[in-house]
Every structure is written in C-alpha cells, then in structure tokens.
Amino acid sequence: MTEKSAEALNSDDWPIDPPLVELSIQTHDRGFYDGFSREVSIPAKIIVSMIIMWAIFFPVAAMDTLEVANSTIISSFSGWYVYLVAALVVVCLVLAILPQSGRLRIGAPDEKPEFSRFSWISMLFGAGIGIGMLTYSTGEPLSHFANNPDIIRGAVEARTAEAISSAYIWTFLHWGFGAWCTYALVGLAIGYVSHRRGLPLTIRSSLAPLFGKSMSGVFGHAVDVVAVVATILGVAVTMGLGVEQFIVGLYRVGMGDWLVQADGTASTAAIVVALIVLVGASTISALSGVGRGIKWLSNINMVLSFALLALFLVVGSGLYGLELLGMGIWGYIVTLPAHSLTLFSGGTEMGDALVQWQLDWSVFYWAWWIAFAPFVGMFIARISRGRTIREYVIGVALVPALMCFVWMALVGGTAIDLELSGVAQGAIFDANISDQLFATLAVMLGSDLALIVSGLVVILLMTYLITSADSAILIVNTINGAGEDEGGRRYHILFWGFALAFVVGSMLILGGIDAIRITMIIGALPFSIVVVAMAVSIIKAVVYDLIRNHHGVPCTAEACETWDGKVTPAE
C-alpha cells in the first residue's frame, strides 16, 4: 500500500498505524553519479581524501596530532565504548530469547533464505574478522599470557601456567559476544526494515522507525556519510594487520629480504607492492558482485581455515588446546557480566597500568568493532534475508564467536604449550606479532613442512584480505547508491579501491598499525552515536510490529500493498 492509498483509508479504523514502507532518497539520474546520492558520495570522498592527503603531505603534524589524540580524546571516551558494547550484547540477546520477537522474520513471513547455512556462515566469518583472527590467534593469548589485569594486580605471575586461565578469559572477551553482537545489532537494524518494509538497504533506513521521513533529508545524508568514513577506517585497521602479516609470510617462504626491515616489520616497498596486488585483486572481485566473487572466496577461506585448524588439532597441542577451550569458555561466561562493565581508573601506578592496558586492548577492540559495524552490518543484512531474528542472532553472534574461540584455543594454545615446555625457547615470544603464527609453525613442524604450510597461510591471508576489501568496496557503493548494489559502479569501485589502499599505505608508512588504530578509534566516535540510535530504533520497530500483529495491522511492505484498511485482531 502506497502512502497515498494509505491516506485514503480512515486511520480511525486501526489502533496503530502501519509502518513506513517508502523512504525516498534522491539519487542523480545521469553522468558520473548516475544512480548515486551526490549528497553522500561527494562529502564522503572529500573526507577520506583529506585524511589521505593529511597523512601523505603532513606526516609529522599528522603523527603529533594522533599522539595527542591517543592521550586525551581516546581515554576520555573509554567508558563510552565499554558500556555501549555491553548494552548492545543485552539488546541482541533479549530480542533473540523472547519468543515473540525471536520468531519474527527478516523479510516476508514465508520468505526463504537466499543462501545455504554453510555459505551464509562462511560469508559471515570471512568478511567479519578472519584477518584479525589470523594475526591475533597467537598474538593475543601470548600477550595476555605475559600481561593482563590479573598479572598487573599481582594475582598471578606472568608467563606461568597460572596466567593461562585469565589470558584466555580476556582473549575470549574481546572476540566473543561483544564483537559479534555489535555486528548483529547493526545488521539486524538495517536488514529488518529493508527486507521487511521494503526500505533501501542503507544505514539511514535503520533509523526510519525512530525518525520517519526525516531520514530522506540532510540528517539521513549525514548518517550515511559517517558510516562510509567509519567503514573505510575500520577496514583499514583490518587491512593493515593483514598486509603486515601477509608480507612477513612472504618473507618466511623465501620471497626476499627486501620485504622486511631490521626490526621485523614490513618495508615501505613491500607495503606498496602488497597493496597494489591485494587491492587490485579485490577491486576486480568487487566488479563481479556479492553473488560471485565474495561467495566463492568466502567458501575458499572456510575450507583453508578448517584445514589449518585440523593441522593444529592433530600435529599441534590439540588436546591441550581443547582443554583451554573448555576452561576459557567457562571462565568467559562466568566473568562476562563483570568484565563487560569493568572500567579501570588511574591515579596509582597499578591503576595507570590497568587503564593503559584497557585502552590498548578492550577500548581498541570495541572501537574497532563499532567502526567495522557499518561494513559488516550492511553485508550481513544483505545476505540474511529470510531468517528469523532468533536464527539470525544465534548465527551471527554465537557461531562465529565459537569458531574464534576454537581458533584461539588450538593455535594460541599450541604456541603457549611450545613456550611453556621449553621447546620454542622464546622463538615465538620474541617474534613480532605479525610473525608469531609463522614462528609457531616453524617450531611445531620443522623448516621444510613449515615452509609449505606457511605458504598455505599466505594464500589464506590473501583470500581474507581480498574478501574484506572486496566486501567493503561493494558496501560503500551500496550506501552511496541509496541501497542499490547493482548497475554501473565501475569507476566508483575503482575510486574506493584506490582510497582504501592509500589510507592503509599512508598510515602504515606514517606510523605503522598504531597510526591506523588511533585514527580508527577517533573515526568510530560519530558512528557510535548512530549505533545507539539504531539499537533504540530496532527495539521500537520490533515492539510496534508485535503490536500490529496483535491488532491485525500489516507490518510488511507486501501486506501493506494489498491491505484494505480492515483489522483482524489476533486471538
């Protein structure tokens, strides 16, 4: 039912209005921006271009500014990030657990999912945090094994068997429900109104239940611009981690000493070459669309990931890793409420150390997930049509989190076991975080077999990098195109591919991954406000639809089209 026909009906006949099923977003109808919203595309391109030029032409001033921001702005908003992520976990779990909301479908009541469960979960995992997981599967458990809040407080001694439990509790906290419920909330807010009410598949549509038609104007444009910038910065962190590890992997398999510097980090030449190859491949993949390139690359990612996990299970410390998995999950669940709401305060030497640890780890992660959420949320919304809210939340929040836990336990557990037993003799501990996975393989397998497996890891990294960049480019164009992901996008795909490469490259060369991390945390702040509004909006949308169902008022676009204005209250 269109708005005009709705006005022809007597609204006194029903106790609650049908939902908004039309949201007009003006797009250009000719020229370079044909099919795009210039009010979103142009400001987003200008902002990202200014960030690139700032880093390239004023590197000293840029680094000074980032250092000031790191010590002032970021610490001031640490509590905001901590409490926001905790609230998002609660909202997602409540929507899934309640019987009434859990069975609502993201789409028409009888709609079937577009993708099989295997392909769906593969795409969730591959386009979510696959790259970061490869870097941190050894790096984070080892780091927390050497330093975490319990060690800082003196409760346990660093690098001892007693420190393992707390190391995994904090690791799972960062890669568990906090990450995936952030993605799930954003994806649900977008997908619910887009697939159920026929609104455009874009960030601003998620706020339509809250702000109505005003999202067609300047406010809606601003929301989408913030989402585009946050997406580029969030993906830049992931790409930065992946590119460094990819280069170190190429060095490990004998591709030349020019790839790394004396301190073990990637050289400038290697960063430039790697970005040309990886972003070039992802741009080509993006031109093929979500149904082809991303789907097949995601399936390849999943197969290679399972093969690598099987290797660690059989050849590595498999039984020990499974023991750590059970111990870590139990500890994570028991401490989840307390740790999710913990905000350390300074003033003493111990307090300052705890605050710095939280800024370096938890706050970084929460900002990363929030900045990554428009990209992953849009992508999840695109591929999740036809699933119930309960199935959606379980699939998005639970399954990938468990996969991350298994990965961290088997891979990180093997690294810890090799160090505790004395076999590694510090070879893994002393390696750069980007090299610790390869160092683990070298100790575990020996030089010849490690060379082969390291080559497979490099391929896995490459497919993860291409998938993430590919997905990000398509999602950015979808936001700029008012929710449309088809049609002539070639030149805009090329622009965002180059932009992503320049953001990653300039920041890596400027100050390494720390420069990207600080820029991303600041860039995530504006979108974090949008996320709060999205949480309120999806709650309102679900509650109102339940009321509409009770009173017999239609709540989907298809039902509104054929509705005659009569209500048939539910029993």
Side-chain angles (χ1 to χ4, degrees):
M1 181 182 64
T2 64
E3 275 186 43
K4 185 174 180 180
S5 60
E7 292 172 358
L9 298 171
N10 184 3
S11 61
D12 294 334
D13 292 341
W14 56 85
I16 183 173
D17 290 334
L20 178 70
V21 294
E22 290 183 5
L23 185 65
S24 176
I25 303 175
Q26 184 178 1
T27 56
H28 204 48
D29 58 0
R30 62 183 183 277
F32 184 74
Y33 285 97
D34 182 22
F36 281 82
S37 170
R38 289 184 296 183
E39 291 80 3
V40 176
S41 301
I42 294 176
K45 288 180 177 179
I46 291 174
I47 293 172
V48 172
S49 298
M50 289 177 65
I51 292 173
I52 295 170
M53 289 187 289
W54 176 60
I56 292 176
F57 296 109
F58 306 99
V60 176
M63 201 60 210
D64 290 342
T65 303
L66 290 177
E67 289 175 356
V68 172
N70 191 40
S71 61
T72 56
I73 298 176
I74 295 173
S75 59
S76 299
F77 287 92
S78 57
W80 169 253
Y81 284 122
V82 169
Y83 296 135
L84 172 57
V85 171
L88 298 180
V89 173
V90 172
V91 171
C92 283
L93 294 181
V94 169
L95 288 175
I97 291 172
L98 291 179
Q100 298 90 337
S101 58
R103 56 175 172 257
L104 288 176
R105 195 169 293 276
I106 306 173
D110 57 349
E111 194 163 1
K112 301 297 182 184
E114 178 181 359
F115 298 100
S116 69
R117 279 199 178 94
F118 180 81
S119 291
W120 182 56
I121 292 175
S122 297
M123 287 188 280
L124 291 177
F125 192 65
I129 50 178
I131 298 171
M133 185 196 63
L134 280 175
T135 300
Y136 286 106
S137 58
T138 48
E140 182 155 1
L142 285 172
S143 293
H144 297 336
F145 183 49
N147 186 42
N148 69 58
D150 289 341
I151 295 173
I152 294 172
R153 294 190 188 102
V156 295
E157 187 178 347
R159 299 191 180 186
T160 62
E162 291 75 20
I164 296 174
S165 176
S166 57
Y168 269 93
I169 289 173
W170 288 106
T171 298
F172 287 1
L173 176 72
H174 297 149
W175 293 84
F177 296 148
W180 291 99
C181 283
T182 300
Y183 298 157
L185 187 283
V186 172
L188 179 61
I190 299 167
Y192 189 86
V193 297
S194 177
H195 301 316
R196 191 174 178 87
R197 301 181 179 181
L199 301 186
L201 186 71
T202 189
I203 302 296
R204 72 173 76 188
S205 294
S206 65
L207 302 183
L210 204 57
F211 299 108
K213 296 180 181 178
S214 64
M215 297 310 299
S216 295
V218 175
F219 184 34
H221 300 329
V223 168
D224 281 348
V225 170
V226 167
V228 170
V229 175
T231 297
I232 293 298
L233 295 179
V235 174
V237 172
T238 304
M239 291 286 291
L241 291 170
V243 166
E244 284 197 334
Q245 193 172 24
F246 177 72
I247 292 170
V248 171
L250 291 176
Y251 172 76
R252 279 277 183 175
V253 298
M255 297 300 289
D257 294 338
W258 64 276
L259 292 165
V260 298
Q261 303 176 100
D263 60 357
T265 59
S267 67
T268 299
I271 291 171
V272 172
V273 172
L275 286 171
I276 291 174
V277 173
L278 295 169
V279 176
S282 66
T283 303
I284 294 172
S285 178
L287 293 171
S288 70
V290 70
R292 296 180 182 178
I294 296 175
K295 179 179 177 180
W296 287 108
L297 283 173
S298 297
N299 287 340
I300 292 172
N301 293 343
M302 186 65 79
V303 171
L304 288 177
S305 295
F306 275 124
L308 189 58
L309 277 179
L311 177 69
F312 275 93
L313 179 64
V314 176
V315 181
S317 306
L319 293 178
Y320 181 65
L322 293 176
E323 180 183 342
L324 292 180
L325 177 64
M327 177 186 68
I329 290 177
W330 173 251
Y332 166 64
I333 293 173
V334 170
T335 61
L336 179 60
H339 283 173
S340 296
L341 298 173
T342 295
L343 184 64
F344 296 121
S345 57
T348 64
E349 183 178 352
M350 180 187 298
D352 291 342
L354 288 170
V355 168
Q356 190 59 52
W357 183 92
Q358 190 169 40
L359 289 174
D360 290 341
W361 289 100
S362 299
V363 174
F364 160 64
Y365 272 121
W366 301 157
W368 188 10
W369 305 150
I370 290 170
F372 217 40
F375 154 51
V376 181
M378 282 280 292
F379 184 72
I380 293 173
R382 165 66 180 82
I383 64 175
S384 298
R385 183 169 190 150
R387 303 190 184 275
T388 65
I389 290 180
R390 183 174 296 111
E391 180 187 11
Y392 169 89
V393 172
I394 291 174
V396 176
L398 183 60
V399 176
L402 286 175
M403 291 185 68
C404 288
F405 294 167
V406 170
W407 191 280
M408 298 286 182
L410 292 179
V411 180
T414 297
I416 289 175
D417 188 37
L418 291 172
E419 287 288 3
L420 273 180
S421 64
V423 175
Q425 297 182 343
I428 304 174
F429 267 132
D430 296 338
N432 185 284
I433 190 171
S434 298
D435 190 32
Q436 285 180 326
L437 176 59
F438 298 109
T440 303
L441 290 171
V443 175
M444 181 177 75
L445 301 175
S447 57
D448 293 338
L449 188 55
L451 186 68
I452 297 173
V453 177
S454 294
L456 292 177
V457 173
V458 169
I459 295 173
L460 179 59
L461 272 166
M462 182 174 65
T463 58
Y464 270 135
L465 282 162
I466 294 172
T467 302
S468 294
D470 176 349
S471 304
I473 293 168
L474 288 173
I475 292 306
V476 165
N477 273 329
T478 301
I479 298 173
N480 290 332
E484 295 294 329
D485 60 358
E486 301 296 338
R489 299 285 191 262
R490 183 176 301 275
Y491 294 112
H492 299 276
I493 287 174
L494 292 174
F495 173 87
W496 288 112
F498 281 120
L500 186 57
F502 273 108
V503 169
V504 175
S506 61
M507 289 297 176
L508 278 180
I509 295 169
L510 170 67
I513 197 66
D514 284 340
I516 304 179
R517 178 181 64 83
I518 298 169
T519 306
M520 178 274 299
I521 292 176
I522 298 171
L525 273 174
F527 190 71
S528 68
I529 299 172
V530 176
V531 171
V532 172
M534 295 173 87
V536 176
S537 184
I538 186 59
I539 292 172
K540 179 181 178 182
V542 168
V543 170
Y544 274 47
D545 277 359
L546 291 174
I547 296 174
R548 291 184 181 103
N549 284 337
H550 179 73
H551 290 288
V553 176
C555 55
T556 64
E558 292 82 359
C560 286
E561 287 290 340
T562 58
W563 190 44
D564 60 2
K566 297 179 181 179
V567 298
T568 53
E571 295 294 334

